[in-house]
Amino acid sequence: MNMELPLSRYQNYVYDRLQCNSTSFFSLRYSDSDLFTKTSFLSNPRKYRNSFCWIKCSSFEQGLRPRPRPQPKPSKLDVGDRKETPLKETHVKKSSVGICSQIEKLVLCKKYRDALEMFEIFELEDGFHVGYSTYDALINACIGLKSIRGVKRLCNYMVDNGFEPDQYMRNRVLLMHVKCGMMIDACRLFDEMPARNAVSWGTIISGYVDSGNYVEAFRLFILMREEFYDCGPRTFATMIRASAGLEIIFPGRQLHSCAIKAGLGQDIFVSCALIDMYSKCGSLEDAHCVFDEMPDKTIVGWNSIIAGYALHGYSEEALDLYHEMRDSGVKMDHFTFSIIIRICSRLASVARAKQVHASLVRNGFGLDVVANTALVDFYSKWGKVDDARHVFDRMSCRNIISWNALIAGYGNHGHGEEAIDMFEKMLREGMMPNHVTFLAVLSACSISGLFERGWEIFQSMTRDHKVKPRAMHFACMIELLGREGLLDEAYALIRKAPFQPTANMWAALLRACRVHGNLELGKFAAEKLYGMEPEKLSNYIVLLNIYNSSGKLKEAADVFQTLKRKGLRMLPACSWIEVNNQPHAFLSGDKHHVQIEKVVGKVDELMLNISKLGYVPEEQNFMLPDVDENEEKIRMYHSEKLAIAYGLLNTLEKTPLQIVQSHRICSDCHSVIKLIAMITKREIVIRDASRFHHFRDGSCSCGDYW
């Protein structure tokens, strides 16, 4: 039997006769009561001692009073009762069993749009009888589509046909408004309900929490406690989420205490909400205590505690929990893998990420869009662009985040043409770019020096795609102009920006001035940066390098004195390399590594070999962001040189080396590493504070602009 009736003869009707704001039986009117006034609840706990004595947060506001309401009428049906209430009929209703059955079947198959189109038959032809089950299905269709227009159409039809909802249906209509984001109308519906039960309260409170209005959620929760002292676990879990949203731990602790007294301390919903709340409020010890007390550690509980540790930077501890979870036999989901992949990204651990990738495929998530997008992002960030493209090509479904991750990956590693090709392919496949997409592709153009293409894409943002350029887009274009030596044009673009220039825009101009030696404009840009970021050390160091390169030693000394006066200390540079799944860190001039003698000897050997190729150390010693350059010997053994030497000593020939370092690579080391890559026939990838550098065969992907 064909479920879908032909609707072609109804498609040309106009909906003008539908009154979108008529909701008579719901009596949607705002009350002047102070129940919904927008005042904070966080000032005076004594106000609520009688009605809600267990919450004592010291920041509740005064003034909350429950509004007077008429006595609730006895509900015709309790929640969950699906018995139909007879309609008040003034004439004989047409039989609509067939159409109602079709609508319900379409909703069951999640063909929500088709169901709402078929509902148009009822709207355009009077006299049909529609039952509770059909209204219930149409509510599901509106929720599934989050269709505000569908909500208004359905409510108007109910009103026009004299439908009298019972308590169950009132709660369903309330839920529909909440799920579709119509919180103002939902508030009015709730305010005028003749009778409310725990489901009514829970629905409106959950709506406020989901919309981020945590204060109003707490206000309503206090009023609910006056009417229903015993709250269910889902309501407690919802309010604990509100505490997490406010990042206020004290009311969360009070909710925890109350849940324990109510016998809900080990409920799965409450426990997972508590773990999330304590983690977001910075109390990992409490979060772990709740996790340890869970009798049945579900996947949600494991994910919550792992995410909590990862959130606060405890990456190794989060990985230990992941291994414990895996050994416990709990089946992992795509969220687990996405968390672990992001942890591996933070640790720069490609080997661990590959292990997680293999586990992801073994567990049946090889095509999951969330987990695979995390993999694309990880491989892109850490130099494995070919692996990122392989994962991307195998994805059966891609979202805008997947495309953005791959485009940014190509761009960050100097593959500007490939980034533009992916951008154009994305457009051909009908995917709408957003501001992140344009940031990725414009950054790719600036890194690779694709001047003409960059300007074409920048101009197409507003003209073709209606995306308004933001400050970061302007910063990319300023860097692109600066790379071409067009410093006056870059400064003019800053002045023409339709908003106040940001620190990133001035920093892009300052970098261009450093590379091209424009002292006056560089000094001007640096002064602008000082006013915005007076405590950021790198801004002073770039200007110091400009003065040094221009022979302005007195001015350089003045900048150095400014640093001392402000108490800004230049920290030792640090570089990391991972060998055999173990990270190794080196400081400039390091003397403490277990293999430091062999490493220093290897550096001396490399410097001797490249000197035979004509290398001469730069006479001018450029200072680096966050680096203390007090001794010439330290300059000979910069942290990146030590990390490269260690990698050459402890890896097989032709194995690529990947280093992460805390500072911008200096020009002398940049020249040295190009020659080392050439004589060792190794690819050396360095991610510094500026960008990725791929050294291969005596050249670098940055084109000597960083």
Side-chain angles (χ1 to χ4, degrees):
M1 177 179 177
N2 185 9
M3 298 195 319
E4 301 183 27
L5 297 179
L7 299 178
S8 58
R9 70 190 183 95
Y10 301 108
Q11 290 178 349
N12 294 325
Y13 280 88
V14 183
Y15 300 126
D16 293 341
R17 62 184 292 273
L18 301 176
Q19 299 298 319
C20 294
N21 57 359
S22 173
T23 51
S24 61
F25 78 87
F26 294 114
S27 301
L28 296 185
R29 297 187 301 273
Y30 276 114
S31 170
D32 291 332
S33 166
D34 61 351
L35 177 59
F36 295 103
T37 54
K38 294 185 178 180
T39 56
S40 172
F41 70 101
L42 301 173
S43 66
N44 188 356
R46 289 189 285 272
K47 178 68 79 176
Y48 309 99
R49 182 168 295 166
N50 294 331
S51 62
F52 196 29
C53 61
W54 48 270
I55 193 161
K56 301 177 181 178
C57 183
S58 61
S59 55
F60 276 76
E61 274 192 3
Q62 300 182 5
L64 179 63
R65 289 289 188 277
R67 60 170 179 74
R69 293 194 303 274
Q71 291 297 321
K73 301 176 183 178
S75 66
K76 297 177 181 178
L77 295 173
D78 291 333
V79 173
D81 193 341
R82 301 294 300 275
K83 181 179 178 181
E84 296 187 10
T85 302
L87 297 175
K88 290 183 179 179
E89 298 181 332
T90 58
H91 57 278
V92 177
K93 296 286 186 178
K94 298 179 185 178
S95 175
S96 59
V97 174
I99 300 176
C100 289
S101 177
Q102 293 293 332
I103 289 175
E104 292 171 25
K105 289 177 181 178
L106 287 170
V107 172
L108 188 63
C109 296
K110 297 185 178 181
K111 295 184 177 180
Y112 304 130
R113 199 172 301 281
D114 293 342
L116 287 179
E117 286 180 0
M118 188 168 289
F119 173 60
E120 185 180 351
I121 296 174
F122 295 149
E123 295 177 294
L124 298 174
E125 296 186 15
D126 296 330
F128 284 106
H129 170 76
V130 181
Y132 263 54
S133 59
T134 306
Y135 281 129
D136 210 11
L138 288 167
I139 288 172
N140 285 334
C142 292
I143 293 174
L145 294 174
K146 296 191 182 302
S147 172
I148 294 176
R149 179 176 177 77
V151 172
K152 292 180 178 180
R153 288 171 56 197
L154 182 56
C155 289
N156 284 320
Y157 185 82
M158 290 178 174
V159 172
D160 292 342
N161 285 269
F163 177 68
E164 295 184 359
D166 61 6
Q167 182 68 61
Y168 169 81
M169 190 55 68
R170 287 182 185 277
N171 286 338
R172 290 285 292 157
V173 173
L174 178 64
L175 177 67
M176 175 175 64
H177 283 79
V178 166
K179 291 295 185 181
C180 293
M182 303 169 67
M183 286 305 299
I184 295 177
D185 290 337
C187 172
R188 292 175 178 175
L189 282 172
F190 179 80
D191 196 30
E192 297 299 330
M193 277 180 134
R196 302 167 184 157
N197 57 19
V199 175
S200 313
W201 285 97
T203 300
I204 193 68
I205 289 172
S206 179
Y208 276 121
V209 173
D210 291 340
S211 63
N213 197 340
Y214 308 118
V215 173
E216 289 299 319
F218 264 107
R219 288 167 58 85
L220 285 176
F221 181 64
I222 295 170
L223 293 175
M224 177 184 179
R225 293 280 293 179
E226 295 180 351
E227 193 165 332
F228 300 96
Y229 185 77
D230 293 327
C231 298
R234 291 180 182 269
T235 304
F236 274 113
T238 299
M239 294 314 303
I240 292 167
R241 284 200 296 120
S243 297
L246 290 170
E247 296 185 359
I248 302 175
I249 196 170
F250 193 73
R253 290 187 190 277
Q254 298 299 311
L255 287 162
H256 187 184
S257 176
C258 190
I260 292 173
K261 292 177 182 178
L264 301 173
Q266 294 184 342
D267 179 85
I268 183 63
F269 296 105
V270 174
S271 296
C272 292
L274 284 169
I275 293 170
D276 181 67
M277 183 272 296
Y278 282 129
S279 298
K280 289 180 178 176
C281 292
S283 182
L284 285 177
E285 183 178 354
D286 287 334
H288 211 124
C289 285
V290 174
F291 176 75
D292 289 338
E293 291 174 3
M294 291 177 68
D296 182 18
K297 293 178 172 59
T298 64
I299 180 63
V300 179
W302 280 105
N303 287 345
S304 298
I305 191 66
I306 292 172
Y309 275 92
L311 177 67
H312 293 282
Y314 295 100
S315 301
E316 293 291 348
E317 291 80 355
L319 283 178
D320 291 340
L321 283 168
Y322 162 70
H323 295 140
E324 185 180 341
M325 171 188 178
R326 184 185 59 192
D327 295 339
S328 70
V330 175
K331 185 174 177 59
M332 293 170 279
D333 62 7
H334 66 277
F335 186 68
T336 312
F337 290 112
S338 63
I339 296 172
I340 301 304
I341 292 167
R342 284 176 173 83
I343 292 172
C344 293
S345 180
R346 182 182 299 168
L347 294 173
S349 178
V350 176
R352 283 174 174 168
K354 286 185 176 292
Q355 293 173 2
V356 176
H357 187 181
S359 181
L360 183 149
V361 174
R362 286 196 304 270
N363 283 272
F365 295 99
L367 300 177
D368 181 81
V369 63
V370 175
N372 280 279
T373 297
L375 274 173
V376 171
D377 181 63
F378 170 80
Y379 285 135
S380 298
K381 284 180 177 177
W382 294 107
K384 305 293 182 180
V385 185
D386 291 340
D387 291 336
R389 180 62 182 270
H390 179 71
V391 174
F392 181 85
D393 288 341
R394 289 175 59 87
M395 293 174 66
S396 58
C397 178
R398 306 173 186 127
N399 56 24
I400 187 65
I401 303 174
S402 313
W403 286 96
N404 291 348
L406 187 61
I407 293 171
Y410 276 124
N412 289 335
H413 295 282
H415 303 296
E417 292 289 352
E418 290 86 345
I420 293 174
D421 289 343
M422 290 305 299
F423 173 71
E424 292 176 345
K425 182 179 179 181
M426 171 184 170
L427 297 179
R428 288 194 300 270
E429 294 191 9
M431 186 70 67
M432 295 297 295
N434 58 17
H435 70 278
V436 179
T437 313
F438 283 105
L439 178 61
V441 71
L442 290 176
S443 177
C445 292
S446 66
I447 290 173
S448 299
L450 302 175
F451 184 79
E452 298 294 338
R453 297 303 307 277
W455 274 105
E456 290 174 8
I457 294 171
F458 182 71
Q459 291 169 352
S460 74
M461 285 182 66
T462 305
R463 183 188 66 224
D464 301 332
H465 304 286
K466 312 305 179 187
V467 177
K468 186 177 180 180
R470 304 186 183 187
M472 289 302 296
H473 302 111
F474 274 82
C476 289
M477 302 315 297
I478 292 166
E479 184 166 338
L480 191 58
L481 287 166
R483 190 183 183 101
E484 295 294 312
L486 303 173
L487 301 183
D488 291 338
E489 289 82 353
Y491 176 56
L493 184 61
I494 292 178
R495 296 184 61 185
K496 292 178 182 177
F499 42 75
Q500 193 71 20
T502 64
N504 286 326
M505 295 167 66
W506 288 113
L509 181 62
L510 181 59
R511 284 194 298 271
C513 293
R514 176 187 63 81
V515 172
H516 296 287
N518 191 318
L519 179 62
E520 294 303 321
L521 189 56
K523 182 179 178 181
F524 179 76
E527 289 173 351
K528 292 291 185 179
L529 279 172
Y530 296 162
M532 296 179 180
E533 301 173 333
E535 304 302 321
K536 190 170 182 178
L537 178 63
S538 61
N539 297 330
Y540 296 90
I541 299 301
V542 173
L543 182 62
L544 185 59
N545 286 334
I546 293 175
Y547 282 135
N548 280 334
S549 63
S550 303
K552 304 286 186 178
L553 300 183
K554 181 179 181 302
E555 289 82 354
D558 291 340
V559 174
F560 195 81
Q561 290 300 318
T562 301
L563 290 176
K564 293 181 65 176
R565 186 172 64 254
K566 288 181 172 288
L568 299 177
R569 186 169 61 91
M570 292 176 283
L571 302 175
C574 184
S575 297
W576 298 266
I577 185 172
E578 184 179 276
V579 177
N580 297 325
N581 295 337
Q582 292 295 323
H584 296 267
F586 294 89
L587 299 175
S588 292
D590 201 337
K591 299 178 181 179
H592 303 292
H593 194 274
V594 292
Q595 295 188 33
I596 192 61
E597 292 184 4
K598 291 183 179 179
V599 169
V600 169
K602 186 65 175 177
V603 172
D604 292 339
E605 176 189 336
L606 292 169
M607 298 301 290
L608 178 62
N609 289 336
I610 64 174
S611 65
K612 296 176 182 178
L613 299 176
Y615 163 74
V616 177
E618 294 184 7
E619 295 182 4
Q620 183 60 53
N621 182 13
F622 282 84
M623 296 187 69
L624 306 174
D626 306 328
V627 179
D628 189 357
E629 297 287 344
N630 294 322
E631 301 179 12
E632 181 67 19
K633 186 176 180 180
I634 291 179
R635 188 167 78 95
M636 295 298 297
Y637 301 105
H638 274 181
S639 61
E640 54 267 47
K641 294 176 183 174
L642 298 176
I644 290 171
Y646 180 84
L648 293 172
L649 287 170
N650 293 277
T651 59
L652 298 175
E653 291 185 8
K654 298 185 179 180
T655 301
L657 302 181
Q658 185 149 346
I659 291 109
V660 181
Q661 59 186 44
S662 60
H663 59 285
R664 184 182 61 81
I665 189 171
C666 73
S667 58
D668 183 65
C669 283
H670 196 269
S671 301
V672 167
I673 297 170
K674 286 194 293 186
L675 294 173
I676 291 175
M678 183 174 67
I679 64 173
T680 60
K681 301 192 182 303
R682 301 258 195 142
E683 180 182 5
I684 302 173
V685 181
I686 296 182
R687 182 182 182 179
D688 71 353
S690 175
R691 63 192 55 186
F692 277 94
H693 301 263
H694 287 255
F695 297 93
R696 185 189 293 119
D697 299 328
S699 63
C700 179
S701 61
C702 73
D704 298 336
Y705 186 94
W706 74 99

